[in-house]
């Protein structure tokens, strides 16, 4: 149902699009507790090529919906709980699992004479790549580290310039990510991991910041491990200064990328045989978004500098068609199988003749080409060694007595030798 706004809110010069933007709809369930206005909003992500052109948006349903509603003053509320059931914010359907709600909602619409038609259609929807189970977007409160507080973004960008990136294009990639990234979300809702050891005031919603409380938490973690956060009573951490009934213990888990990003602190700085920052970090190209970046942000936030002097990035080994190897697809190629079939030297030849900074393809045809190259190299050496059969030191020709062409070839051989040795170093 669409209600036109009062005439007083419209001017005679308003364009048709402005009138359209200010249309107000009624919720289909406005008679049973959903009595609030539903404005029509202009969304650039809705196109005539996909969808109907008019869609229902919910701020807690996904990134596009969330940003559109937040920008128009519509707050996101927690509509689905940890078990996939509707919360108290969904009248009439509280406690209903979302996958079982369709028939109930349709029946209620039919009862209220608000249903034009219903049917089924097949469409794409996000699924877990690992378990193949369907995924559901949820809006939940999270913990963030600000990229602007204490100039974390500026410090990180400066540190990127001070690091040697191999290959050089890695610098531009991570710099663009850090320059445009939003605040860093560091909380997860999981049953395992390092807990976010925070107390929240039940009245104000603000976290407790007390050095004595933090010291007691740190001592407990040091002696009994971080799992003590879940087993120790809040009163032991809060002490006599605070009433446990006034404070809620946060049970969220710290993002594992923060764990891995902190490795420089508890690996390098606790070992007298190692130095900090590290001379070299090396990993796959996807870690510009992951480990490289989390290490950079954590170190710049706590120490003001990058945790590494150099970063080397390699590509990934793909199948012959350029697809990622996956057990579920069945396209995984094991090095042991290649060695058993072609021999270790042929596999080594494929490695040294590849550009490790790019993604590498491997398959039977590629390996056969390396077999041919290997045979040519091996047969060439056999021919040269055959010519040297019976050679003695008495037959060595002095450099100054060599023909000019042979001295030139010897020079080229020396240059190649130095280049190869430099490459290996």
């Amino acid at each position: 149902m669409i209600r036109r706004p009062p005439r007083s809110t419209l001017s005679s010069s308003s364009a048709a699009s402005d009138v359209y933007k200010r249309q107000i709809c009624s919720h289909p369930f406005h008679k049973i507790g959903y009595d609030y206005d539903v404005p029509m909003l202009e969304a650039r992500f809705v196109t005539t090529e996909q969808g109907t052109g008019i869609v229902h948006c919910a701020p807690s349903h996904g990134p596009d919906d969330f940003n559109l509603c937040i920008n128009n003053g519509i707050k996101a509320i927690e509509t689905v709980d940890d078990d996939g059931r509707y919360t108290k914010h969904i009248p009439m359907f509280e406690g209903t699992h979302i996958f079982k709600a369709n028939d109930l909602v349709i029946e209620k619409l039919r009862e209220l004479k608000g249903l034009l038609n219903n049917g089924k259609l097949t469409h794409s929807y996000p699924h877990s790549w690992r378990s193949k189970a369907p995924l559901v977007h949820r809006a939940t409160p999270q913990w963030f580290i600000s990229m602007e507080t204490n100039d974390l973004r500026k410090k990180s960008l400066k540190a990127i310039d001070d690091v040697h990136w191999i290959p050089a294009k890695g610098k531009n990639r991570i710099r663009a990510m850090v320059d445009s990234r939003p605040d860093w979300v560091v909380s997860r809702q999981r049953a395992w991991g390092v807990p976010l050891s925070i107390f929240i005031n039940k009245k104000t919603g603000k976290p407790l910041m007390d050095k004595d409380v933090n010291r007691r938490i740190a001592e407990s973690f040091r002696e009994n491990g971080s799992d003590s956060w879940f087993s120790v009573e809040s009163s032991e951490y809060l002490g006599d200064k605070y009433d446990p009934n006034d404070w809620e213990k946060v049970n969220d888990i710290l993002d594992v990328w923060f764990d891995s990003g902190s490795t420089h602190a508890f690996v390098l700085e606790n070992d007298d045989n190692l130095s900090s920052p590290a001379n070299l970090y090396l990993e796959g190209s996807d870690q510009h978004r992951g480990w490289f970046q989390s290490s950079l942000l954590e170190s710049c936030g706590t120490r003001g500098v990058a945790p590494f002097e150099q970063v080397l990035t390699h590509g990934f080994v793909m199948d012959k068609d350029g697809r990622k190897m996956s057990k579920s697809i069945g396209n995984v190629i094991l090095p042991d199988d290649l060695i058993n079939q072609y021999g270790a030297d042929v596999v080594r030849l494929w490695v040294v003749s590849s550009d490790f900074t790019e993604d590498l393809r491997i398959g039977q045809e590629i390996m056969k080409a390396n077999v041919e190259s290997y045979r040519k190299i091996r047969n060439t050496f056999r021919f040269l060694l055959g010519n040297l059969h019976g050679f003695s030191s008495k037959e060595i020709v002095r450099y100054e007595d060599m023909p000019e062409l042979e001295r030139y070839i010897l020079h080229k051989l020396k240059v190649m030798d130095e280049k190869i040795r430099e490459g290996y170093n």
Side-chain angles (χ1 to χ4, degrees):
M1 183 185 298
I2 298 179
R3 301 200 305 274
R4 191 174 173 82
R7 287 185 178 276
S8 59
T9 63
L10 298 174
S11 65
S12 58
S13 60
S14 296
S17 61
D18 291 332
V19 174
Y20 160 74
K21 291 177 187 177
R22 279 178 270 187
Q23 301 301 314
I24 303 297
C25 302
S26 292
H27 196 286
F29 290 155
H30 68 278
K31 294 180 180 179
I32 56 172
Y34 293 79
D35 188 20
Y36 50 81
D37 290 341
V38 181
M40 296 187 72
L41 306 173
E42 182 180 15
R44 295 188 178 276
F45 57 84
V46 179
T47 65
T48 55
E49 288 78 21
Q50 293 181 334
T52 61
I54 299 177
V55 299
H56 163 243
C57 287
S60 56
H61 184 261
D64 286 332
D65 293 28
F66 177 84
N67 291 325
L68 175 67
C69 292
I70 292 298
N71 291 336
N72 285 275
I74 301 173
K75 293 183 178 180
I77 57 176
E78 197 168 355
T79 55
V80 181
D81 65 16
D82 295 343
D83 296 324
R85 301 178 184 277
Y86 285 123
T87 65
K88 62 182 180 180
H89 299 295
I90 309 299
M92 297 289 297
F93 304 101
E94 181 182 354
T96 303
H97 195 280
I98 55 174
F99 290 156
K100 298 180 180 179
N102 282 350
D103 292 340
L104 298 177
V105 172
I106 290 172
E107 185 58 36
K108 184 59 67 175
L109 284 169
R110 184 180 285 113
E111 179 185 321
L112 296 173
K113 302 188 185 310
L115 181 67
L116 291 175
N117 187 37
N118 72 285
K120 293 184 178 181
L121 60 92
T122 301
H123 66 100
S124 60
Y125 202 76
H127 280 69
S128 165
W129 66 269
R130 189 184 298 275
S131 67
K132 313 304 180 187
L135 299 178
V136 176
H137 287 291
R138 288 180 62 215
T140 56
Q142 302 294 339
W143 291 91
F144 296 83
I145 293 177
S146 169
M147 290 295 294
E148 310 307 331
T149 302
N150 297 327
D151 290 329
L152 178 57
R153 193 188 307 276
K154 290 181 180 178
K155 291 177 181 177
S156 301
L157 292 173
K158 181 184 182 303
I160 290 172
D161 291 335
D162 296 335
V163 172
H164 180 210
W165 299 89
I166 309 166
K169 63 182 180 182
K171 174 182 176 180
N172 293 332
R173 184 176 183 184
I174 192 170
R175 184 178 180 85
M177 291 179 176
V178 172
D179 190 37
S180 61
R181 77 164 293 155
D183 291 337
W184 185 8
V185 58
V186 293
S187 54
R188 294 290 185 271
Q189 289 70 50
R190 289 185 175 138
W192 57 270
V194 177
L196 277 163
S197 50
I198 302 171
F199 286 100
I200 298 294
N201 188 290
K202 293 180 179 179
K203 292 182 179 179
T204 65
K206 293 183 178 181
L208 174 62
M209 291 183 282
D210 187 295
K211 291 183 178 180
D212 291 332
V213 173
N214 290 337
R215 177 180 51 78
R216 285 191 285 269
I217 294 172
E219 290 175 352
S220 176
F221 281 24
R222 190 176 295 112
E223 294 176 8
N224 306 305
S226 60
D227 280 352
S228 59
W229 177 255
F230 304 111
S231 58
V232 174
E233 293 294 330
S234 297
S235 57
E236 294 189 34
Y237 292 133
L238 295 171
D240 299 332
K241 191 175 178 181
Y242 302 99
D243 184 352
N245 295 321
D246 296 335
W247 299 89
E248 178 184 353
K249 184 195 288 186
V250 172
N251 286 321
D252 288 346
I253 299 302
L254 189 65
D255 178 20
V256 292
W257 287 112
F258 193 95
D259 291 350
S260 64
S262 306
T263 49
H264 68 93
F266 55 79
V267 172
L268 299 179
E269 296 177 5
N270 291 334
D271 192 329
D272 294 335
N273 297 314
L274 300 175
S275 61
S276 182
N279 175 256
L280 177 70
Y281 269 42
L282 63 160
E283 246 288 2
S285 55
D286 59 335
Q287 296 306 316
H288 290 105
R289 186 181 303 278
W291 185 46
F292 296 152
Q293 191 172 155
S294 63
S295 300
L296 175 77
L297 297 179
E298 193 280 335
S299 183
C300 287
T302 57
R303 289 152 176 78
V305 295
F308 36 66
E309 296 172 347
Q310 302 178 97
V311 174
L312 183 146
T313 311
H314 60 74
F316 292 90
V317 180
M318 308 290 194
D319 70 7
K320 62 183 180 63
D321 299 318
R323 297 180 303 171
K324 179 181 177 182
M325 292 190 189
S326 169
K327 291 181 180 178
S328 60
I329 298 176
N331 63 342
V332 176
I333 300 175
L334 299 176
D336 284 350
D337 293 341
L338 294 175
I339 291 173
N340 292 334
Q341 184 174 357
Y342 298 105
D345 283 342
V346 175
V347 179
R348 291 191 184 104
L349 180 62
W350 169 76
V351 171
V352 298
S353 61
S354 303
D355 181 1
F356 73 88
T357 64
E358 301 292 340
D359 289 343
L360 312 177
R361 296 189 182 192
I362 193 166
Q364 292 298 330
E365 294 302 318
I366 295 172
M367 292 307 298
K368 287 177 182 178
N370 278 273
V371 169
E372 291 301 315
S373 298
Y374 174 74
R375 285 174 178 167
K376 290 178 181 178
I377 294 172
R378 186 177 179 86
N379 290 336
T380 300
F381 274 109
R382 290 184 66 184
F383 177 80
L384 293 172
L385 290 171
N387 278 279
L388 288 172
H389 181 68
F391 178 79
S392 68
S393 58
K394 295 179 181 179
E395 298 176 77
I396 295 177
V397 179
R398 294 188 307 170
Y399 179 78
E400 54 269 20
D401 295 335
M402 288 183 180
E404 186 176 5
L405 179 59
E406 291 192 12
R407 280 187 281 174
Y408 171 72
I409 295 298
L410 195 62
H411 166 71
K412 296 291 287 185
L413 185 62
K414 174 66 173 174
V415 171
M416 182 184 292
D417 179 67
E418 292 178 348
K419 185 174 183 179
I420 291 173
R421 291 178 186 276
E422 180 184 354
Y424 269 100
N425 288 332

